[in-house]
Every structure is written in structure tokens, then in C-alpha cells.
């Protein structure tokens, strides 16, 4: 009896697949779109998945977008992970789909429930343990966009540059705000996906990253991806590669870096660190010495506490702001930032 049920299911699946056979990819995509226009999400998803499972072309990334949209309309976000990974498996060399898969993980709800050891994304009634998966989604996006870069089959520096920009974004995700910037000093394991909920267990202590002695950790631009010592260096390397392939992005990259430096290494980090909160008299004295600073040094609240220190040449944000806010391609916004700093 059990064998009969399995055979019957296979026959039904075969009939469904055959009903779509003989139609071109364009016809099937139009058919799915027509179903969706009528609000027939179930049939739209069925047709879209046939295309996603059988056609590998320039439009496969959009097929993934459409299929995930139909899932959301059906309120079946718990099936999103299976859909994405199935598509990645079938289109393992299609950089467009891999790129979209990486983006898709960032557009999903970053939480779900563990039921008997199995993760179900989204809301759930009836037991299970709630877990967040932002860290896991971040790592998976990094893996997928790196695979997309390796799979680009076009001699297009612009495309590869954009992919490196997206890689830099995933690396910095959740790590450029005051509460998690210290995590840029960590080298994330990109070989294995972290457990669900790992990101939530990260410390929320604020301040820029430091070394084992509590001194500021300089995030250099490494010679290669492999030689990066932490995620901050990976982030800078990916940004640098993007600019190398598309030099017109350089002003934007420099602005991003300048604002990052001011945010995490400027005296503004002391704003919520008044003397009445100080535990160390030396720190209290440092706060009162702001007016004595040279342009090549700063006083900032790091992950190890308030410190006065010399800035590495690449970290001297006042000279950098001055250069970027003057000249033919001056940035007025950075000029305002300079005034605020001074």
C-alpha cells in the first residue's frame, strides 16, 4: 500500500510537469505572471518553480525573486530556505542566480523556530524554540556572492565591481554601528555556517576593535582575501577591489571610510561617557584634554575604554575630510562634517 501511494505521488508530479512541457521559458514565465496577476499564487508558484528547476539562463535570478514572492503571498516563508538552496544547487554556476540568492537571504525574516532540531523560518504556533538567524544568513550571503564572483562568465569589470561592493556590504552587516563595530576585529569562519542564534549571543559592548593589549586595532587593506586577519580587513579589501575595477566609485568609498572613522574614532564617541560615569581617573582626565589634540591624534571610546592615541596615517580623518571637501570634486556634506569635528 505504501509503495502504491509513493508511485501515485510520482505520477501526479509527472502529470503536473508534463502539463508545462512543450512551452518555452518565456511562455511559462508569462503564464506564471498571469496567474500572479489574478492572485492565483499557488499556480503561479507551481509554474515558476518548474521554470526555476528546468531552465538555467539570464533570467534565472528573476525566477527566484518571483518564486519567493509567491511563497510570501501564500504565507509559506518557512519554505524559503529550501527553495533558495534548491535553486543554488541547480544553478551552481549561474552568477546571476547566486547573486540573487545572496540578496534573498537578507530580504527574509531573520528569525524562526527550532522544531525537533529543524529550523522553520518565520512565525509559528505550537511549540518550538525561538531563534534568530541573522548571523547565519550573513555568512550564507557572503558564501554565495563569493561563488557568484568566481562564476562570472562575462568580461565585465563593472559587474564584478558591483559584486565586490555587495560582498563588502555583507561583511560589514551589523558591524558598523556603535554596539557591534568591535566585531570587525573578528575573523568569521566562512567554511561552516554558524548555528541558529549564534549572532544573538555576541556581546553588545560598544567601541572600536582593539588588540589583546587593549590598543586600537588598525584595519589595514591586505594584499589578498586570504591574508586578511579579520572581517574588517576583508571588508576593506573587498571595497578596494570594487574601486580598482570601477575607479568612478572611489569618491563614494572614501566618503564611506571618512564617515566611519569620525563615527568610531572621533571625540564624538565620548558623548555618552560623561565624567560621572567614569571609573578611572585617568580616563576622566583624558576627556578634559580634547582641546589639546593634534590633527593626527584623537581621544575615543574603544572597546577597551577611553584612550588617547596617535592615528595611523590611513585613520587621520581630519586631513582626509579636508582633502575630500575641497577641490574640483569637493563634497559639501563632508565639509559640514569637518566643521562639526573642528
Amino acid at each position: 500500500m505504501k509503495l502504491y501511494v509513493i508511485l501515485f505521488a510520482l505520477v501526479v508530479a509527472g502529470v503536473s510537469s508534463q502539463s508545462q512541457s512543450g512551452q518555452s521559458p518565456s511562455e511559462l514565465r508569462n503564464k506564471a505572471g498571469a496567474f500572479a496577476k489574478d492572485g492565483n499564487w499557488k499556480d503561479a508558484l507551481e509554474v515558476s518553480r518548474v521554470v526555476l528547476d528546468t531552465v538555467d539562463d539570464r533570467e534565472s535570478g528573476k525566477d527566484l525573486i518571483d518564486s519567493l514572492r509567491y511563497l510570501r503571498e501564500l504565507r509559506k516563508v518557512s519554505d524559503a530556505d529550501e527553495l533558495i538552496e534548491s535553486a543554488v544547487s541547480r544553478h551552481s554556476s549561474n552568477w546571476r542566480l547566486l547573486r540573487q540568492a545572496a540578496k534573498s537571504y537578507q530580504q527574509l525574516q531573520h528569525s524562526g523556530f527550532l522544531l525537533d532540531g529543524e529550523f522553520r523560518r518565520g512565525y509559528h504556533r505550537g511549540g518550538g524554540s525561538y531563534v534568530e538567524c541573522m548571523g547565519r544568513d550573513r555568512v550564507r550571503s557572503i558564501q554565495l556572492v563569493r561563488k557568484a564572483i568566481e562564476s562570472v562568465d562575462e568580461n565585465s569589470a563593472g559587474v564584478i565591481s558591483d559584486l565586490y561592493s555587495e560582498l563588502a556590504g555583507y561583511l560589514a552587516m551589523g558591524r558598523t554601528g556603535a554596539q557591534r563595530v568591535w566585531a570587525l576585529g573578528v575573523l568569521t569562519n566562512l567554511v561552516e555556517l554558524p548555528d541558529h542564534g549564534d549572532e544573538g549571543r555576541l556581546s553588545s559592548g560598544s567601541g572600536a576593535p582593539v588588540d589583546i593589549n587593549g590598543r586600537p586595532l588598525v584595519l589595514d587593506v591586505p594584499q589578498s582575501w586570504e591574508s586578511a586577519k579579520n572581517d574588517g580587513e576583508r571588508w576593506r579589501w573587498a571595497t578596494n577591489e570594487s574601486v580598482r575595477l570601477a575607479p568612478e566609485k572611489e569618491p563614494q568609498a572614501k566618503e564611506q571610510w571618512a564617515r566611519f572613522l569620525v563615527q568610531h574614532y572621533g571625540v564624538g564617541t565620548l558623548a555618552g561617557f560623561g565624567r560621572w560615569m567614569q571609573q578611572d581617573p585617568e580616563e576622566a582626565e583624558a576627556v578634559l584634554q580634547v582641546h589639546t589634540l593634534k590633527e593626527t591624534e584623537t581621544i575615543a571610546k574603544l572597546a577597551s575604554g577611553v584612550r588617547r592615541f596617535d592615528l595611523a596615517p590611513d585613520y587621520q580623518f581630519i586631513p582626509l575630510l579636508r582633502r575630500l571637501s575641497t577641490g574640483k570634486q569637493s563634497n559639501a556634506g563632508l565639509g559640514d562634517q569637518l566643521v562639526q569635528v573642528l
Side-chain angles (χ1 to χ4, degrees):
M1 180 65 180
K2 186 175 181 180
L3 177 61
Y4 172 78
V5 173
I6 295 174
L7 290 174
F8 178 76
L10 291 173
V11 169
V12 171
V15 170
S16 176
S17 179
Q18 288 176 12
S19 67
Q20 314 298 342
S21 66
Q23 299 182 63
S24 68
S26 178
E27 290 173 328
L28 289 172
R29 285 165 177 147
N30 290 337
K31 185 175 182 179
F35 280 136
K37 186 176 181 181
D38 293 337
N40 191 343
W41 307 114
K42 182 175 181 296
D43 287 342
L45 177 60
E46 179 184 327
V47 176
S48 185
R49 286 216 62 168
V50 168
V51 180
L52 197 57
D53 290 346
T54 60
V55 180
D56 184 32
D57 61 16
R58 297 171 64 90
E59 298 299 319
S60 294
K62 186 177 184 304
D63 293 333
L64 179 59
I65 294 175
D66 292 339
S67 294
L68 287 170
R69 175 195 167 201
Y70 305 150
L71 269 185
R72 285 193 294 269
E73 294 290 349
L74 291 167
R75 298 187 178 182
K76 292 186 175 181
V77 69
S78 59
D79 294 335
D81 294 69
E82 181 278 327
L83 190 153
I84 294 173
E85 292 305 325
S86 175
V88 168
S89 177
R90 292 176 181 274
H91 304 268
S92 59
S93 298
N94 187 325
W95 68 264
R96 291 180 177 83
L97 183 131
L98 295 171
R99 179 187 199 179
Q100 186 54 51
K103 290 182 179 180
S104 296
Y105 271 114
Q106 298 310 314
Q107 296 163 353
L108 295 173
Q109 181 176 330
H110 297 301
S111 62
F113 288 80
L114 285 176
L115 301 167
D116 296 326
E118 180 181 346
F119 175 70
R120 290 177 59 86
R121 191 182 296 270
Y123 299 108
H124 171 74
R125 290 184 179 179
S129 302
Y130 173 83
V131 291
E132 295 184 350
C133 55
M134 182 176 292
R136 187 182 179 94
D137 290 342
R138 169 181 174 264
V139 172
R140 188 60 179 136
S141 291
I142 292 172
Q143 291 176 340
L144 289 168
V145 79
R146 288 190 66 208
K147 191 172 183 180
I149 292 171
E150 297 171 357
S151 303
V152 172
D153 55 2
E154 298 181 0
N155 185 21
S156 174
V159 168
I160 302 176
S161 172
D162 289 344
L163 289 171
Y164 274 122
S165 292
E166 291 163 22
L167 173 59
Y170 298 141
L171 286 163
M173 188 168 293
R175 283 155 172 75
T176 54
Q179 296 302 312
R180 289 282 177 84
V181 66
W182 63 266
L184 286 175
V186 176
L187 187 69
T188 298
N189 179 359
L190 298 178
V191 177
E192 298 179 357
L193 292 174
D195 292 334
H196 295 97
D198 269 9
E199 186 82 356
R201 290 192 284 270
L202 281 178
S203 166
S204 60
S206 61
V210 296
D211 61 20
I212 58 175
N213 297 312
R215 294 189 294 262
L217 181 65
V218 177
L219 306 175
D220 290 317
V221 180
Q223 292 297 315
S224 66
W225 172 269
E226 292 74 18
S227 63
K229 297 186 290 294
N230 49 58
D231 286 352
E233 292 194 353
R234 284 170 167 170
W235 170 52
R236 296 204 66 192
W237 180 86
T239 301
N240 197 60
E241 285 298 287
S242 178
V243 171
R244 181 181 65 82
L245 293 164
E248 65 273 12
K249 293 182 179 180
E250 185 174 20
Q252 180 182 359
K254 286 185 175 180
E255 177 180 354
Q256 178 190 53
W257 180 240
R259 293 188 183 280
F260 173 83
L261 294 176
V262 172
Q263 180 183 359
H264 299 296
Y265 296 91
V267 296
T269 58
L270 307 176
F273 213 74
R275 280 189 296 163
W276 59 89
M277 297 176 64
Q278 300 292 337
Q279 301 296 320
D280 187 337
E282 292 183 0
E283 292 181 346
E285 182 180 354
V287 173
L288 299 176
Q289 297 300 314
V290 169
H291 68 285
T292 67
L293 289 173
K294 302 175 184 177
E295 291 189 357
T296 57
E297 60 180 346
T298 190
I299 300 176
K301 181 180 183 299
L302 306 175
S304 58
V306 174
R307 291 228 175 192
R308 178 171 185 160
F309 56 94
D310 291 325
L311 291 162
D314 197 25
Y315 277 60
Q316 294 172 10
F317 51 85
I318 292 180
L320 176 59
L321 288 171
R322 187 173 282 115
R323 289 195 301 272
L324 297 178
S325 60
T326 57
K328 293 182 179 180
Q329 296 182 330
S330 61
N331 185 316
L334 291 182
D336 293 338
Q337 180 84 75
L338 178 61
V339 171
Q340 294 174 19
V341 169
L342 295 176

